Amino acid sequence: MSQKYRVIVAVIGVLLGLFMMWYFFDILVYIITAGVISLIGQPLVEVLSKLRIGKLTMPKSIAALITIVSLIGFLVGIVFLFVPLITRQAQMISKINVDEVVTYFAGIIDRLQGLLLSYDVIKADQTLQAVLEAQISTVINVADFSNLFVKLLGATTTVFIGFFSVLFLSFFFLRDRHLLRSGILLFAPDRFQPEVKTILHKTKLMLSRYFIGLLSQLFIMMILLTIGLSAFGIKNAILIGFFGGFMNVIPYLGPIIGATIGTVLGMSSDLGLGLYDSAFNSGITVILVFATANLIDNFVIQPLIFSNRVNAHPIEILLVILMAGSLAGIPGMILAIPGYTVLRIVAKEFLSGFKLIDKLTENI
């Protein structure tokens, strides 16, 4: 086959592959999720497989099953820990008297309304009091769980299929660490087999390090926030610390979202109890705790954990995250670093020789 036809076939193959990825996007998400779980759980499988009882060693199937059960047990433990906390917080929010809150903060609201009017943030025919009442009422309605179970039942089938599919794939990926690799190699032309094998090896190594580092960072942030909030007597500190730490999965924007949610939850507990004097102080305390924890995260935790995991300059990472956020929003920001890592590895194998590519991939 001539070079011209080879290029045409390659382009058609790429376009067909992209179409299939779009058309079967849900299945692709299941495979990627299972792949991430296998990367995280593979070290435990390897440890369990090396255990010996006399001359017997644990089969990979049993090791993979124990790993899956351990992950499920961890998730179930989180549910049993946080569902009562969420329910209690929702009950506290539902007790907030909107009229009393607005009346108590009337002086501050009037001054803030004048400031917002001067900058055209709100319209002249609007009042900040009406806006706040609507927003607080919305929050209270969201906290009403009367319709939650009806909505959950409607999505049960889809959730069950996705959950079962991910568990099924994860088990086999954990049992056979080369299964996903072999499946990808089936689609690679023979002449590119060595390059594709190198890409898969480097990708697995770097993504394993990245995801384990990310989980470590989230766990440390949850502990820091929970301890800090508990030390200052903030109610439901565990719940706020969990959400605040978990939001760090979203680069740059996550800490702001976490601090906002934490401040609302911290103040709502006092407002629900009618402690209007302490609500403002609680909000300020939550903000300061989040600010301190994120300073520690930015200058201590992240450099220690991620310094050698993705081998990319911080400015480079920031630009990639901003571009991914513009293209795909928050999901894009979450997937930006692992996606960019894979692209750099692929570019190093197939596009080396270009000055820009060589510069971006020199540390891989």
Side-chain angles (χ1 to χ4, degrees):
M1 185 182 294
S2 66
Q3 184 66 27
K4 176 182 177 180
Y5 289 112
R6 286 179 180 272
V7 172
I8 294 174
V9 171
V11 171
I12 293 175
V14 170
L15 293 177
L16 180 61
L18 292 174
F19 172 76
M20 295 292 288
M21 290 172 63
W22 170 79
Y23 192 79
F24 297 105
F25 182 74
D26 290 344
I27 298 175
L28 180 63
V29 171
Y30 298 156
I31 294 174
I32 293 174
T33 304
V36 172
I37 292 174
S38 67
L39 288 175
I40 296 172
Q42 196 61 237
L44 178 58
V45 173
E46 295 300 322
V47 171
L48 293 174
S49 299
K50 294 177 182 178
L51 295 178
R52 289 181 174 273
I53 302 177
K55 294 183 179 180
L56 299 176
T57 57
M58 184 178 295
K60 277 290 183 67
S61 298
I62 303 299
L65 182 61
I66 292 175
T67 301
I68 292 292
V69 172
S70 300
L71 292 174
I72 294 175
F74 178 74
L75 292 176
V76 171
I78 290 178
V79 170
F80 277 101
L81 174 63
F82 287 102
V83 165
L85 297 177
I86 294 173
T87 303
R88 186 172 63 187
Q89 186 71 46
Q91 291 173 346
M92 196 68 66
I93 293 175
S94 65
K95 294 179 181 179
I96 296 176
N97 189 314
V98 179
D99 295 330
E100 286 186 6
V101 172
V102 174
T103 301
Y104 184 85
F105 293 102
I108 298 176
I109 291 173
D110 290 339
R111 289 193 292 272
L112 185 58
Q113 178 173 325
L115 181 63
L116 295 178
L117 283 172
S118 64
Y119 287 97
D120 294 325
V121 177
I122 60 175
K123 297 179 181 179
D125 58 345
Q126 286 182 314
T127 63
L128 184 58
Q129 178 173 336
V131 173
L132 289 175
E133 287 180 350
Q135 294 300 318
I136 294 174
S137 298
T138 300
V139 172
I140 293 173
N141 291 334
V142 169
D144 183 7
F145 286 94
S146 59
N147 296 321
L148 178 60
F149 290 103
V150 176
K151 296 177 182 178
L152 286 177
L153 287 175
T156 297
T157 303
T158 303
V159 172
F160 177 78
I161 292 174
F163 184 73
F164 176 78
S165 299
V166 170
L167 286 183
F168 186 82
L169 292 169
S170 299
F171 171 77
F172 285 100
F173 288 166
L174 287 168
R175 191 186 70 171
D176 184 359
R177 59 187 300 180
H178 300 298
L179 181 62
L180 184 59
R181 173 177 177 271
S182 301
I184 295 174
L185 287 173
L186 287 176
F187 295 94
D190 292 338
R191 60 181 295 189
F192 295 127
Q193 289 283 322
E195 290 84 356
V196 174
K197 289 179 180 179
T198 301
I199 290 171
L200 293 175
H201 174 72
K202 290 183 178 179
T203 298
K204 181 179 179 180
L205 179 62
M206 295 192 70
L207 290 186
S208 295
R209 294 163 59 190
Y210 170 74
F211 284 116
I212 292 174
L214 179 62
L215 289 177
S216 301
Q217 181 210 11
L218 299 184
F219 184 69
I220 293 172
M221 285 298 294
M222 290 176 188
I223 293 176
L224 284 177
L225 290 171
T226 301
I227 292 175
L229 295 170
S230 299
F232 288 98
I234 300 298
K235 300 175 183 64
N236 250 349
I238 296 177
L239 179 63
I240 298 174
F242 174 79
F243 278 116
F246 183 76
M247 283 296 106
N248 278 266
V249 73
I250 306 173
Y252 299 104
L253 186 61
I256 299 175
I257 298 175
T260 303
I261 295 174
T263 303
V264 171
L265 293 178
M267 294 183 67
S268 64
S269 296
D270 290 331
L271 294 176
L273 295 172
L275 303 175
Y276 304 127
D277 292 329
S278 62
F280 182 76
N281 293 332
S282 295
I284 296 297
T285 301
V286 172
I287 292 173
L288 292 176
V289 170
F290 268 83
T292 303
N294 280 285
L295 285 174
I296 296 173
D297 179 48
N298 291 333
F299 292 102
V300 179
I301 299 174
Q302 289 191 33
L304 287 176
I305 293 179
F306 293 111
S307 59
N308 297 315
R309 292 185 182 270
V310 294
N311 298 326
H313 195 280
I315 295 179
E316 188 180 338
I317 293 296
L318 174 61
L319 293 176
V320 169
I321 290 171
L322 292 176
M323 288 188 289
S326 299
L327 290 173
I330 289 179
M333 297 180 73
I334 295 173
L335 298 174
I337 297 178
Y340 181 59
T341 300
V342 174
L343 288 177
R344 289 171 69 218
I345 294 172
V346 173
K348 185 176 181 65
E349 292 299 319
F350 290 107
L351 300 175
S352 59
F354 293 93
K355 186 176 180 180
L356 176 61
I357 301 298
D358 291 341
K359 182 62 179 178
L360 293 176
T361 61
E362 61 183 354
N363 294 324
I364 295 180

